[in-house]
Amino acid sequence: MGSDELQLVQEAFATNWIAPLGPQVDAFETEFAAHVGSAHAAALSSGTAALHLALRWVGVQPGDEVFCSSLTFSASANPIAYEAGRPVFIDCDRAFWNMDPALLAEALADRAKAGRLPKAVILVHLYGQSADIDPIEKSCREYGVPLIEDAAEALGALYYGTAPSKGRGQEVKGISPGTRGLCGVFSFNGNKIITTSGGGMLVSNDKALIDKARFWATQSRDPAPHYQHSEIGFNYRLSNVLAAIGRGQLRVLEQRVETRRRNFEFYRKAIGDLPGIEFMPEAPYGRCTRWLTCLTIDPAAFGADREQVRLALAEENIEARPVWKPLHLQPVFKDCPVFGGAVAADLFDRGLCLPSGSNLTEADLERVAAVVRRCHRR
Ligand SMILES: *Cc1c(COP(=O)(O)O)cnc(C)c1O
């Protein structure tokens, strides 16, 4: 937590707004929308809820296909199943780990030929890094397929675009991932770069979309003095108390990005020289927050594989985790179609996420690096 959160929570208590609505929620939405550069925002109980409402807005019907990045957390695709849709997974590109724009174009062409385009594309911005939005948005526009951006892991990241970069000395202004498509999804879960303990945000430039999301999120109450409902609703709103925490957290977001990038720099200097270690590259078209420091290990060159390194860290009571297991390899999604898949599978085999919290001390980082070093040709 930063310095303002407790005071903002006290404001919520002092005004007795302990509800899934209130002035802190309104202010959080306004401040968040301004921060990421979107016209409208709805504060929700989770990023998953935000994705679910986005899919309802595009009108996914049972059996409809929805494209989704394969290398991601299961929450990116679960809401497709909530609506009885069918996930179709798209592999990532080898260079920067996000959805491969060429493969998406291929998949859209394939489905267009068959006369059954997907209801939406869910584009994930992985591990603090923006995907290459321009070509993906262009493909979606070409086929008239709505683009939903899952930016749950990429708050604070920037996308400069693939247009020719500006000359030296000129400021390059980026956009926030999650603000280019039809709508974008963010998460304030406990493990994200800022947190409200749990929460999410849906952003869009389409006011009707956000108004409808708020309506569904508060049990679809018709405008009547009595309780009247013409649609199925959800209990998806963020509490006023948690919104107060979110407002304080938003004020320290830029510091958190700096800290995470500093963690990454430390690791890069400490173990980047080891043969067979390769960090997730930062794409030239954006700024990565380094929400997590991720790397791949080539066992032949390094002398130990990913699991050996992970277990060596665990022996020292240091928790590190493999890169996301691709969704097309998950038992629960085993019958879903996939375009490509080998790249994500390889990153899963060799990929490791190092401890990356904003509260790590230099001594903590040192300790992690020392264990990784020891694994080299042990
Ligand atoms: C965390 C996460 C979500 C879900 O967010 P919650 O707020 O935990 O529901 C969705 N997609 C990705 C990629 C995530 O990392």
Side-chain angles (χ1 to χ4, degrees), residues 19-21 25 29 41-46 48-54 56 200-202 209-222 229 231-239:
L21 80 176
V25 172
E29 289 177 344
L44 301 168
S45 53
S46 70
T48 311
L51 268 170
H52 187 193
L53 296 182
R56 274 190 91 85
M201 194 74 79
L202 181 66
L209 185 159
I210 295 298
D211 285 345
K212 191 75 183 198
R214 284 201 195 100
F215 171 75
W216 282 328
T218 35
Q219 307 285 23
S220 298
R221 281 180 61 183
D222 290 344
H229 308 273
E231 283 186 68
I232 295 295
F234 302 88
N235 183 4
Y236 276 174
R237 281 294 256 168
L238 186 70
S239 132

Side-chain angles (χ1 to χ4, degrees), residues 45-49 51 72-73 75-76 124-126 150 152-153 185-189 191-192 198-200 291 324:
S45 53
S46 70
T48 311
L51 268 170
T72 181
F73 181 47
S76 299
V124 181
H125 304 282
L126 206 66
D150 178 353
E153 299 180 6
V185 167
F186 295 88
S187 166
F188 315 116
N189 194 19
N191 62 342
K192 299 303 198 285
W291 170 57
W324 295 126

Side-chain angles (χ1 to χ4, degrees), residues 41-356:
L44 301 168
S45 53
S46 70
T48 311
L51 268 170
H52 187 193
L53 296 182
L55 289 173
R56 274 190 91 85
W57 174 260
V58 302
V60 174
Q61 299 297 315
D64 281 348
E65 288 190 341
V66 175
F67 286 7
C68 182
S69 306
S70 182
L71 188 63
T72 181
F73 181 47
S74 65
S76 299
N78 280 338
I80 304 170
Y82 300 166
E83 293 298 309
R86 188 178 196 224
V88 176
F89 296 113
I90 311 287
D91 204 354
C92 53
D93 73 271
R94 162 115 8 224
F96 305 117
W97 303 25
N98 276 311
M99 186 186 282
D100 182 339
L103 199 57
L104 172 69
E106 235 175 76
L108 285 168
D110 176 87
R111 289 305 197 256
K113 209 163 62 188
R116 50 186 190 109
L117 283 165
K119 257 297 165 37
V121 170
I122 298 176
L123 171 64
V124 181
H125 304 282
L126 206 66
Y127 292 132
Q129 171 140 277
S130 176
D132 194 1
I133 303 170
D134 281 346
I136 287 170
E137 198 261 343
K138 186 162 169 277
S139 289
C140 287
R141 193 150 25 88
E142 192 180 324
Y143 291 97
V145 176
L147 176 64
I148 297 170
E149 294 183 64
D150 178 353
E153 299 180 6
L155 179 58
L158 292 172
Y159 180 67
Y160 304 138
T162 40
S165 62
K166 302 221 176 84
R168 228 171 219 284
Q170 268 180 282
E171 197 195 350
V172 187
K173 271 201 145 164
I175 63 161
S176 168
T179 58
R180 177 68 74 74
L182 169 70
C183 57
V185 167
F186 295 88
S187 166
F188 315 116
N189 194 19
N191 62 342
K192 299 303 198 285
I193 195 157
I194 62 169
T195 182
T196 60
S197 76
M201 194 74 79
L202 181 66
V203 306
S204 178
N205 290 325
D206 185 342
K207 184 170 184 301
L209 185 159
I210 295 298
D211 285 345
K212 191 75 183 198
R214 284 201 195 100
F215 171 75
W216 282 328
T218 35
Q219 307 285 23
S220 298
R221 281 180 61 183
D222 290 344
H226 50 277
Y227 284 90
Q228 178 172 299
H229 308 273
S230 312
E231 283 186 68
I232 295 295
F234 302 88
N235 183 4
Y236 276 174
R237 281 294 256 168
L238 186 70
S239 132
N240 196 59
V241 179
L242 299 186
I245 299 177
R247 291 181 69 201
Q249 284 275 283
L250 197 57
R251 294 175 194 175
V252 294
L253 171 60
E254 205 47 41
Q255 286 169 38
R256 296 289 181 270
V257 173
E258 272 170 39
T259 310
R260 302 265 171 164
R261 285 184 64 91
R262 215 180 314 132
N263 287 345
F264 168 79
E265 272 309 310
F266 185 99
Y267 284 133
R268 194 183 58 79
K269 288 203 184 103
I271 56 172
D273 62 314
L274 296 174
I277 295 267
E278 205 184 313
F279 290 99
M280 180 180 82
E282 182 171 33
Y285 48 71
R287 175 184 79 164
C288 181
T289 66
R290 299 293 181 184
W291 170 57
L292 299 187
T293 289
C294 307
L295 50 79
T296 54
I297 297 169
D298 172 2
F302 186 69
D305 65 15
R306 191 279 314 280
E307 256 329 80
Q308 287 170 307
V309 175
R310 192 185 66 78
L311 291 170
L313 287 163
E315 258 171 53
E316 299 291 328
N317 201 23
I318 298 168
E319 187 185 39
R321 296 211 186 137
V323 160
W324 295 126
K325 179 170 184 169
L327 298 189
H328 74 277
L329 298 178
Q330 295 289 355
V332 72
F333 294 125
K334 68 181 188 317
D335 298 326
C336 298
V338 56
F339 284 84
V343 177
D346 176 58
L347 290 172
F348 169 59
D349 275 346
R350 299 188 297 113
L352 188 68
C353 307
L354 295 179
S356 304

